[in-house]
Protein backbone atom coordinates (compact mmCIF):
# COMPACT_ATOMS: atom_id res chain seq x y z
CA UNK A 1 0.00 0.00 0.00
CA UNK A 2 1.67 3.23 -1.11
CA UNK A 3 1.02 6.78 -2.27
CA UNK A 4 1.01 7.51 -5.99
CA UNK A 5 0.67 10.64 -8.12
CA UNK A 6 -2.80 11.85 -8.99
CA UNK A 7 -6.23 12.53 -7.58
CA UNK A 8 -9.73 11.44 -8.58
CA UNK A 9 -8.51 10.14 -11.94
CA UNK A 10 -5.88 7.83 -10.46
CA UNK A 11 -8.38 4.92 -10.34
CA UNK A 12 -9.15 3.21 -13.65
CA UNK A 13 -12.26 4.32 -15.52
CA UNK A 14 -12.52 7.90 -14.21
CA UNK A 15 -12.20 11.17 -16.13
CA UNK A 16 -12.51 14.76 -14.97
CA UNK A 17 -12.38 18.36 -16.15
CA UNK A 18 -12.73 21.91 -14.92
CA UNK A 19 -13.56 25.13 -16.80
CA UNK A 20 -14.55 28.75 -16.25
CA UNK A 21 -18.21 29.15 -17.22
CA UNK A 22 -19.01 32.58 -15.75
CA UNK A 23 -20.41 31.89 -12.31
CA UNK A 24 -17.45 33.91 -11.10
CA UNK A 25 -18.24 37.04 -13.07
CA UNK A 26 -15.48 39.11 -11.45
CA UNK A 27 -12.69 36.61 -12.08
CA UNK A 28 -12.68 35.28 -15.62
CA UNK A 29 -9.44 33.36 -15.09
CA UNK A 30 -10.60 31.15 -12.25
CA UNK A 31 -12.29 27.82 -13.05
CA UNK A 32 -15.75 27.50 -11.53
CA UNK A 33 -17.31 24.30 -12.89
CA UNK A 34 -15.99 20.76 -12.35
CA UNK A 35 -17.10 17.38 -13.65
CA UNK A 36 -15.97 13.90 -12.60
CA UNK A 37 -17.34 10.86 -14.44
CA UNK A 38 -16.92 7.11 -14.37
CA UNK A 39 -17.17 4.96 -17.48
CA UNK A 40 -19.67 2.74 -15.66
CA UNK A 41 -22.27 2.98 -12.90
CA UNK A 42 -20.71 3.00 -9.43
CA UNK A 43 -21.58 2.08 -5.90
CA UNK A 44 -21.77 5.40 -4.10
CA UNK A 45 -22.08 6.88 -0.64
CA UNK A 46 -21.89 10.31 0.97
CA UNK A 47 -21.93 12.24 4.21
CA UNK A 48 -23.26 15.76 4.64
CA UNK A 49 -23.20 18.86 6.81
CA UNK A 50 -25.10 18.85 10.10
CA UNK A 51 -25.90 22.54 9.68
CA UNK A 52 -29.69 23.00 9.78
CA UNK A 53 -29.42 25.46 6.90
CA UNK A 54 -28.39 23.38 3.89
CA UNK A 55 -27.56 24.13 0.28
CA UNK A 56 -30.12 22.99 -2.31
CA UNK A 57 -27.67 20.48 -3.87
CA UNK A 58 -27.63 18.40 -0.69
CA UNK A 59 -31.31 17.50 -0.92
CA UNK A 60 -30.96 16.53 -4.56
CA UNK A 61 -27.81 14.48 -4.00
CA UNK A 62 -29.43 12.66 -1.08
CA UNK A 63 -32.38 11.73 -3.27
CA UNK A 64 -30.10 10.54 -6.07
CA UNK A 65 -28.07 8.36 -3.72
CA UNK A 66 -31.01 6.61 -2.09
CA UNK A 67 -30.28 3.58 -4.27
CA UNK A 68 -26.53 3.69 -3.49
CA UNK A 69 -25.59 4.35 -7.12
CA UNK A 70 -23.97 7.21 -9.04
CA UNK A 71 -21.79 7.76 -12.09
CA UNK A 72 -20.81 11.43 -12.06
CA UNK A 73 -20.22 14.52 -9.92
CA UNK A 74 -21.01 18.04 -11.15
CA UNK A 75 -19.85 20.88 -8.90
CA UNK A 76 -19.73 24.64 -9.24
CA UNK A 77 -17.78 27.14 -7.16
CA UNK A 78 -18.45 30.85 -6.65
CA UNK A 79 -22.03 30.40 -5.46
CA UNK A 80 -23.20 28.02 -2.71
CA UNK A 81 -26.78 27.79 -4.03
CA UNK A 82 -27.92 28.10 -0.42
CA UNK A 83 -30.94 30.26 0.47
CA UNK A 84 -30.96 31.23 -3.19
CA UNK A 85 -34.12 31.91 -5.23
CA UNK A 86 -35.14 28.78 -7.16
CA UNK A 87 -32.17 26.92 -5.69
CA UNK A 88 -33.73 23.46 -5.91
CA UNK A 89 -34.90 24.12 -9.47
CA UNK A 90 -31.42 25.27 -10.53
CA UNK A 91 -29.88 22.16 -8.97
CA UNK A 92 -32.23 19.78 -10.74
CA UNK A 93 -31.77 21.58 -14.06
CA UNK A 94 -28.00 21.34 -13.62
CA UNK A 95 -28.30 17.56 -13.31
CA UNK A 96 -30.58 17.42 -16.36
CA UNK A 97 -28.14 19.53 -18.37
CA UNK A 98 -25.26 17.30 -17.32
CA UNK A 99 -27.29 14.27 -18.33
CA UNK A 100 -27.97 15.73 -21.79
CA UNK A 101 -24.27 16.25 -22.48
CA UNK A 102 -22.89 13.06 -20.89
CA UNK A 103 -25.63 10.54 -21.48
CA UNK A 104 -25.61 9.70 -17.79
CA UNK A 105 -29.12 9.64 -16.22
CA UNK A 106 -29.78 12.72 -14.07
CA UNK A 107 -30.65 10.53 -11.08
CA UNK A 108 -27.13 9.04 -11.20
CA UNK A 109 -25.44 12.43 -10.79
CA UNK A 110 -24.08 13.86 -7.54
CA UNK A 111 -24.40 17.65 -7.52
CA UNK A 112 -22.60 20.14 -5.27
CA UNK A 113 -22.06 23.88 -4.97
CA UNK A 114 -19.68 26.02 -2.95
CA UNK A 115 -19.18 29.76 -2.55
CA UNK A 116 -21.19 32.73 -1.35
CA UNK A 117 -24.44 32.00 0.53
CA UNK A 118 -27.68 33.79 -0.34
CA UNK A 119 -26.79 34.97 -3.84
CA UNK A 120 -29.02 34.29 -6.88
CA UNK A 121 -27.78 31.67 -9.33
CA UNK A 122 -28.69 31.44 -13.01
CA UNK A 123 -28.59 28.51 -15.43
CA UNK A 124 -26.88 30.63 -18.08
CA UNK A 125 -23.29 29.94 -16.95
CA UNK A 126 -23.99 26.20 -16.79
CA UNK A 127 -25.50 26.28 -20.28
CA UNK A 128 -22.43 28.10 -21.63
CA UNK A 129 -19.93 25.91 -19.88
CA UNK A 130 -21.33 22.38 -20.07
CA UNK A 131 -20.26 21.74 -23.66
CA UNK A 132 -16.62 22.81 -23.18
CA UNK A 133 -16.57 21.00 -19.82
CA UNK A 134 -17.61 17.65 -21.28
CA UNK A 135 -15.25 18.10 -24.24
CA UNK A 136 -12.39 18.67 -21.79
CA UNK A 137 -12.97 15.41 -19.92
CA UNK A 138 -9.72 13.49 -19.62
CA UNK A 139 -8.01 10.85 -17.52
CA UNK A 140 -5.51 13.64 -16.80
CA UNK A 141 -8.20 16.12 -15.80
CA UNK A 142 -8.21 15.56 -12.04
CA UNK A 143 -6.20 18.67 -11.27
CA UNK A 144 -8.47 20.82 -13.46
CA UNK A 145 -11.46 19.59 -11.47
CA UNK A 146 -9.62 20.18 -8.19
CA UNK A 147 -8.94 23.77 -9.25
CA UNK A 148 -12.53 24.35 -10.32
CA UNK A 149 -13.98 23.59 -6.88
CA UNK A 150 -11.65 26.02 -5.05
CA UNK A 151 -13.01 29.15 -3.38
CA UNK A 152 -10.55 30.97 -1.11
CA UNK A 153 -8.17 28.01 -1.32
CA UNK A 154 -4.67 29.01 -2.38
CA UNK A 155 -3.74 25.56 -3.71
CA UNK A 156 -5.65 22.59 -5.10
CA UNK A 157 -5.69 19.46 -2.96
CA UNK A 158 -5.32 15.92 -4.29
CA UNK A 159 -4.12 12.53 -3.06
CA UNK A 160 -4.06 8.94 -4.32
CA UNK A 161 -2.93 5.51 -3.13
CA UNK A 162 -2.40 2.08 -4.67
CA UNK A 163 -3.17 -1.16 -2.84
CA UNK A 164 -4.15 -4.79 -3.41
CA UNK A 165 -7.42 -6.62 -2.86
CA UNK A 166 -7.60 -10.33 -3.67
CA UNK A 167 -4.53 -10.12 -5.86
CA UNK A 168 -5.91 -7.20 -7.89
CA UNK A 169 -4.24 -3.78 -7.94
CA UNK A 170 -6.69 -1.13 -6.77
CA UNK A 171 -6.57 2.64 -6.36
CA UNK A 172 -8.26 5.36 -4.37
CA UNK A 173 -7.92 8.96 -5.50
CA UNK A 174 -9.53 12.11 -4.17
CA UNK A 175 -9.70 15.85 -4.19
CA UNK A 176 -10.94 18.27 -1.53
CA UNK A 177 -11.54 21.98 -1.18
CA UNK A 178 -11.82 24.23 1.80
CA UNK A 179 -10.01 27.12 3.39
CA UNK A 180 -12.57 28.89 5.56
CA UNK A 181 -15.96 28.13 7.16
CA UNK A 182 -14.42 24.87 8.27
CA UNK A 183 -15.55 23.02 11.37
CA UNK A 184 -17.00 19.80 10.00
CA UNK A 185 -19.26 17.56 11.96
CA UNK A 186 -19.76 15.11 9.13
CA UNK A 187 -17.03 15.50 6.59
CA UNK A 188 -15.18 18.39 5.07
CA UNK A 189 -16.39 21.28 3.01
CA UNK A 190 -16.28 19.33 -0.25
CA UNK A 191 -14.38 16.16 -1.01
CA UNK A 192 -14.83 13.77 -3.91
CA UNK A 193 -13.32 10.31 -3.68
CA UNK A 194 -13.04 7.74 -6.47
CA UNK A 195 -11.92 4.12 -6.39
CA UNK A 196 -11.70 1.31 -8.92
CA UNK A 197 -12.21 -1.26 -6.16
CA UNK A 198 -15.49 -3.15 -6.12
CA UNK A 199 -17.33 -2.33 -2.89
CA UNK A 200 -21.06 -2.59 -2.20
CA UNK A 201 -22.94 0.63 -1.44
CA UNK A 202 -23.61 -0.52 2.14
CA UNK A 203 -19.94 -1.22 2.88
CA UNK A 204 -18.88 1.94 1.10
CA UNK A 205 -21.17 3.97 3.36
CA UNK A 206 -19.88 2.14 6.42
CA UNK A 207 -16.24 2.76 5.47
CA UNK A 208 -16.82 6.47 4.79
CA UNK A 209 -18.96 7.13 7.86
CA UNK A 210 -16.37 5.52 10.14
CA UNK A 211 -13.40 7.14 8.42
CA UNK A 212 -14.56 10.73 8.80
CA UNK A 213 -14.73 10.38 12.59
CA UNK A 214 -10.93 10.45 12.72
CA UNK A 215 -10.15 12.56 9.66
CA UNK A 216 -12.46 15.27 8.29
CA UNK A 217 -14.46 15.54 11.52
CA UNK A 218 -11.20 16.24 13.36
CA UNK A 219 -10.52 19.35 11.31
CA UNK A 220 -11.24 22.96 12.20
CA UNK A 221 -10.05 26.23 10.72
CA UNK A 222 -12.46 28.72 12.23
CA UNK A 223 -15.24 26.92 14.07
CA UNK A 224 -17.87 27.59 11.38
CA UNK A 225 -19.67 24.58 9.93
CA UNK A 226 -20.58 25.12 6.27
CA UNK A 227 -24.08 24.81 4.85
CA UNK A 228 -22.82 22.75 1.92
CA UNK A 229 -20.34 20.24 3.37
CA UNK A 230 -20.39 17.02 1.38
CA UNK A 231 -18.03 14.10 1.02
CA UNK A 232 -18.98 11.66 -1.73
CA UNK A 233 -17.29 8.45 -2.82
CA UNK A 234 -17.82 6.39 -5.97
CA UNK A 235 -16.53 2.83 -6.53
CA UNK A 236 -16.70 1.52 -10.11
CA UNK A 237 -15.12 -1.94 -9.65
CA UNK A 238 -12.82 -1.55 -12.67
CA UNK A 239 -9.92 -3.15 -10.76
CA UNK A 240 -11.70 -6.49 -10.97
CA UNK A 241 -11.55 -7.56 -7.34
CA UNK A 242 -14.36 -9.59 -5.83
CA UNK A 243 -16.91 -7.10 -4.50
CA UNK A 244 -16.58 -6.34 -0.81
CA UNK A 245 -19.98 -7.01 0.73
CA UNK A 246 -19.08 -7.65 4.39
CA UNK A 247 -16.50 -6.92 7.02
CA UNK A 248 -13.25 -8.86 6.95
CA UNK A 249 -9.62 -8.59 5.89
CA UNK A 250 -10.43 -7.10 2.45
CA UNK A 251 -12.71 -4.46 3.96
CA UNK A 252 -10.06 -3.55 6.53
CA UNK A 253 -7.48 -3.14 3.75
CA UNK A 254 -9.84 -0.86 1.85
CA UNK A 255 -10.48 1.21 4.99
CA UNK A 256 -6.74 1.61 5.61
CA UNK A 257 -6.23 2.85 2.07
CA UNK A 258 -9.14 5.27 2.43
CA UNK A 259 -7.65 6.57 5.68
CA UNK A 260 -4.30 7.19 4.00
CA UNK A 261 -6.02 9.45 1.47
CA UNK A 262 -8.40 11.32 3.75
CA UNK A 263 -5.83 12.02 6.46
CA UNK A 264 -3.48 13.59 3.93
CA UNK A 265 -6.29 15.75 2.56
CA UNK A 266 -7.36 16.75 6.07
CA UNK A 267 -3.85 18.03 6.73
CA UNK A 268 -3.77 19.87 3.41
CA UNK A 269 -7.06 21.56 4.24
CA UNK A 270 -5.79 22.65 7.64
CA UNK A 271 -2.51 23.90 6.19
CA UNK A 272 -4.39 26.01 3.64
CA UNK A 273 -6.74 27.59 6.18
CA UNK A 274 -7.54 31.19 5.35
CA UNK A 275 -4.54 33.33 6.20
CA UNK A 276 -2.77 30.41 7.87
CA UNK A 277 1.00 30.30 8.32
CA UNK A 278 1.14 27.07 10.34
CA UNK A 279 -0.36 23.58 10.32
CA UNK A 280 -1.19 22.49 13.87
CA UNK A 281 -1.77 18.90 14.92
CA UNK A 282 -2.94 17.96 18.40
CA UNK A 283 -2.39 14.40 19.59
CA UNK A 284 -4.25 13.32 22.72
CA UNK A 285 -3.54 10.04 24.48
CA UNK A 286 -4.36 8.62 27.88
CA UNK A 287 -8.00 9.66 27.56
CA UNK A 288 -10.83 7.60 29.10
CA UNK A 289 -11.94 6.52 25.60
CA UNK A 290 -11.58 7.38 21.92
CA UNK A 291 -14.61 9.67 21.82
CA UNK A 292 -13.22 11.79 24.64
CA UNK A 293 -9.84 11.96 22.93
CA UNK A 294 -11.50 13.17 19.72
CA UNK A 295 -13.42 15.91 21.50
CA UNK A 296 -10.40 17.05 23.50
CA UNK A 297 -7.94 17.15 20.61
CA UNK A 298 -10.38 19.11 18.47
CA UNK A 299 -11.09 21.53 21.30
CA UNK A 300 -7.42 22.47 21.43
CA UNK A 301 -6.99 23.18 17.73
CA UNK A 302 -10.32 25.07 17.67
CA UNK A 303 -9.40 27.55 20.40
CA UNK A 304 -8.94 31.06 18.97
CA UNK A 305 -6.69 32.00 21.88
CA UNK A 306 -4.47 28.97 21.35
CA UNK A 307 -4.43 29.51 17.57
CA UNK A 308 -3.39 33.13 18.14
CA UNK A 309 -0.60 32.02 20.46
CA UNK A 310 0.70 29.69 17.77
CA UNK A 311 0.72 32.57 15.28
CA UNK A 312 2.76 34.55 17.79
CA UNK A 313 5.07 31.57 18.44
CA UNK A 314 4.17 31.79 22.12
CA UNK A 315 4.25 28.54 24.13
CA UNK A 316 1.19 29.57 26.13
CA UNK A 317 0.36 26.09 27.41
CA UNK A 318 -2.30 27.48 29.74
CA UNK A 319 -4.50 27.98 26.70
CA UNK A 320 -4.16 24.29 25.92
CA UNK A 321 -5.38 23.32 29.39
CA UNK A 322 -8.15 25.89 29.23
CA UNK A 323 -9.47 24.47 25.96
CA UNK A 324 -9.29 20.95 27.36
CA UNK A 325 -11.17 22.04 30.44
CA UNK A 326 -14.23 23.42 28.67
CA UNK A 327 -14.46 20.60 26.13
CA UNK A 328 -17.62 18.49 26.34
CA UNK A 329 -15.83 15.37 27.50
CA UNK A 330 -15.77 13.55 30.82
CA UNK A 331 -12.19 13.26 32.13
CA UNK A 332 -9.96 13.97 35.12
CA UNK A 333 -7.94 17.15 34.61
CA UNK A 334 -5.54 16.63 37.52
CA UNK A 335 -2.62 14.96 35.73
CA UNK A 336 -2.21 16.51 32.29
CA UNK A 337 1.12 16.63 30.47
CA UNK A 338 1.69 18.91 27.48
CA UNK A 339 4.59 18.96 25.03
CA UNK A 340 5.09 21.09 21.94
CA UNK A 341 7.09 19.92 18.97
CA UNK A 342 8.22 20.56 15.41
CA UNK A 343 11.14 19.45 13.28
CA UNK A 344 13.31 21.58 15.59
CA UNK A 345 12.57 19.28 18.55
CA UNK A 346 10.06 18.67 21.36
CA UNK A 347 9.77 20.58 24.62
CA UNK A 348 7.73 19.73 27.70
CA UNK A 349 5.84 22.75 29.05
CA UNK A 350 3.32 21.24 31.47
CA UNK A 351 3.39 18.27 33.88
CA UNK A 352 0.80 17.17 36.45
CA UNK A 353 -1.41 20.01 35.17
CA UNK A 354 1.15 22.60 36.25
CA UNK A 355 4.12 24.48 34.83
CA UNK A 356 7.09 22.38 33.82
CA UNK A 357 10.19 24.61 33.86
CA UNK A 358 11.40 25.18 30.31
CA UNK A 359 13.22 27.65 28.09
CA UNK A 360 10.87 30.17 26.47
CA UNK A 361 13.54 30.85 23.85
CA UNK A 362 13.79 27.16 22.92
CA UNK A 363 10.00 26.89 22.81
CA UNK A 364 9.74 29.91 20.51
CA UNK A 365 12.31 28.39 18.17
CA UNK A 366 10.30 25.17 17.98
CA UNK A 367 7.06 27.08 17.33
CA UNK A 368 8.65 29.15 14.55
CA UNK A 369 8.29 26.18 12.21
CA UNK A 370 5.41 25.80 9.73
CA UNK A 371 4.21 22.46 11.15
CA UNK A 372 3.64 22.14 14.90
CA UNK A 373 2.42 19.22 17.01
CA UNK A 374 0.89 19.51 20.46
CA UNK A 375 1.18 16.32 22.53
CA UNK A 376 -1.31 15.87 25.38
CA UNK A 377 -1.25 12.94 27.81
CA UNK A 378 -4.12 12.66 30.33
CA UNK A 379 -2.70 9.55 32.08
CA UNK A 380 -6.06 7.89 32.67
CA UNK A 381 -7.00 5.53 29.86
CA UNK A 382 -6.25 4.14 26.42
CA UNK A 383 -8.21 6.63 24.32
CA UNK A 384 -6.20 8.32 21.55
CA UNK A 385 -7.07 10.76 18.76
CA UNK A 386 -5.64 13.49 16.56
CA UNK A 387 -7.06 16.76 15.28
CA UNK A 388 -5.80 19.32 12.79
CA UNK A 389 -6.08 23.07 12.46
CA UNK A 390 -4.06 26.20 11.78
CA UNK A 391 -3.01 29.42 13.40
CA UNK A 392 -5.24 32.52 13.49
CA UNK A 393 -3.68 35.43 11.64
CA UNK A 394 -4.43 39.01 10.62
CA UNK A 395 -5.07 37.79 7.09
CA UNK A 396 -8.02 35.64 8.19
CA UNK A 397 -9.93 38.80 9.12
CA UNK A 398 -8.87 40.57 5.91
CA UNK A 399 -10.02 37.67 3.73
CA UNK A 400 -13.40 37.39 5.42
CA UNK A 401 -13.93 41.11 5.77
CA UNK A 402 -14.38 41.46 2.01
CA UNK A 403 -15.25 37.90 0.97
CA UNK A 404 -18.25 38.91 -1.16
CA UNK A 405 -16.37 41.68 -2.92
Amino acid sequence: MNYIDGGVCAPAGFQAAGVHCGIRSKNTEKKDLALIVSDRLCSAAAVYTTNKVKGAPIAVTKAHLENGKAQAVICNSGNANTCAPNGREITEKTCQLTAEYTGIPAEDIIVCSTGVIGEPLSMEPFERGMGPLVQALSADGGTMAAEAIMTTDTVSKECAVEFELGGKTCHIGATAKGSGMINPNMATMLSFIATDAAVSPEMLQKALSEDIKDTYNQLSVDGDTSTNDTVAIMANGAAGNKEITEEGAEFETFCRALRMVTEVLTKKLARDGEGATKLIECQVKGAPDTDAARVLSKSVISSDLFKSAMFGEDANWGRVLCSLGYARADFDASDIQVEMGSRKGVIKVCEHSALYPHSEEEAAEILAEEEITIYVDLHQGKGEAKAWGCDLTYDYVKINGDYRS
Side-chain angles (χ1 to χ4, degrees), residues 45-51 58 176-177 181-193 205 208-209 211-220 224-226 228-232 262 266 269 298:
V47 285
Y48 312 93
T49 184
T50 56
N51 195 318
I58 287 181
K177 64 79 52 182
M181 195 178 279
I182 299 178
N183 185 39
N185 187 20
M186 39 55 68
T188 185
M189 299 46 56
L190 291 179
S191 182
F192 306 124
I193 307 168
Q205 186 68 62
L208 183 62
S209 296
D211 181 81
I212 64 167
K213 293 178 181 178
D214 290 303
T215 55
Y216 293 133
N217 273 7
Q218 290 298 99
L219 165 69
S220 182
D224 278 293
T225 299
S226 169
N228 290 57
D229 290 356
T230 301
V231 171
T262 55
T266 299
L269 290 163
K298 192 169 182 180

Side-chain angles (χ1 to χ4, degrees), residues 69-83:
K69 300 291 183 180
Q71 194 174 347
V73 176
I74 183 75
C75 178
N76 75 272
S77 60
N79 188 312
N81 195 4
T82 300
C83 305

Side-chain angles (χ1 to χ4, degrees), residues 179-180 182-183 219-223 269-270 273-274 307 388-390 396:
S179 191
I182 299 178
N183 185 39
L219 165 69
S220 182
V221 167
D222 50 21
L269 290 163
E274 288 174 341
K307 288 155 63 72
W388 297 271
C390 59
Y396 178 84

Side-chain angles (χ1 to χ4, degrees), residues 79-342:
N79 188 312
N81 195 4
T82 300
C83 305
N86 303 319
R88 179 69 180 256
E89 179 184 354
I90 292 291
T91 301
E92 292 175 342
K93 285 185 176 180
T94 299
C95 291
Q96 292 165 5
L97 185 66
T98 306
E100 291 173 13
Y101 278 85
T102 63
I104 296 170
E107 61 269 22
D108 291 330
I109 297 172
I110 294 167
V111 58
C112 295
S113 297
T114 182
V116 180
I117 295 170
E119 296 285 338
L121 182 61
S122 165
M123 280 303 298
E124 291 180 11
F126 295 96
E127 292 166 348
R128 285 195 302 268
M130 193 61 69
L133 181 65
V134 172
Q135 290 176 2
L137 282 171
S138 164
D140 298 319
T143 298
M144 288 193 297
E147 292 170 349
I149 64 174
M150 292 165 55
T151 48
T152 55
D153 306 62
T154 63
V155 294
S156 59
K157 303 164 183 73
E158 300 177 88
C159 185
V161 298
E162 183 176 273
F163 59 104
E164 283 197 5
L165 290 174
K168 302 293 185 179
T169 301
C170 302
H171 309 84
I172 296 177
T175 184
K177 64 79 52 182
S179 191
M181 195 178 279
I182 299 178
N183 185 39
N185 187 20
M186 39 55 68
T188 185
M189 299 46 56
L190 291 179
S191 182
F192 306 124
I193 307 168
T195 180
D196 49 21
V199 187
S200 71
E202 295 77 15
M203 298 312 293
L204 207 58
Q205 186 68 62
K206 182 177 180 62
L208 183 62
S209 296
E210 285 299 313
D211 181 81
I212 64 167
K213 293 178 181 178
D214 290 303
T215 55
Y216 293 133
N217 273 7
Q218 290 298 99
L219 165 69
S220 182
V221 167
D222 50 21
D224 278 293
T225 299
S226 169
T227 57
N228 290 57
D229 290 356
T230 301
V231 171
I233 183 169
M234 296 191 296
N236 67 9
N241 65 294
K242 182 180 178 181
E243 186 179 48
I244 297 173
T245 59
E246 61 185 8
E247 294 188 37
E250 300 285 86
F251 181 66
E252 290 175 5
T253 297
F254 177 80
C255 290
R256 286 198 301 273
L258 179 62
R259 174 63 55 84
M260 286 177 66
V261 170
T262 55
E263 186 167 310
V264 165
L265 289 175
T266 299
K267 291 180 180 180
K268 287 186 176 184
L269 290 163
R271 182 65 185 86
D272 194 34
E274 288 174 341
T277 65
K278 302 178 189 297
L279 166 65
I280 304 169
E281 178 176 301
C282 180
Q283 299 183 12
V284 170
K285 67 177 183 178
D289 52 48
T290 301
D291 286 343
R294 288 171 179 152
V295 171
L296 291 165
S297 58
K298 192 169 182 180
S299 185
V300 173
I301 57 95
S302 299
S303 164
D304 284 346
L305 286 175
F306 168 72
K307 288 155 63 72
S308 298
M310 293 300 97
F311 173 60
E313 299 165 7
D314 175 15
N316 192 336
W317 59 270
R319 293 180 177 178
V320 175
L321 265 66
C322 178
S323 61
L324 293 170
Y326 60 64
R328 294 183 177 180
D330 186 12
F331 73 105
D332 182 353
S334 65
D335 191 17
I336 301 173
Q337 175 181 296
V338 178
E339 295 177 319
M340 299 182 176
S342 70

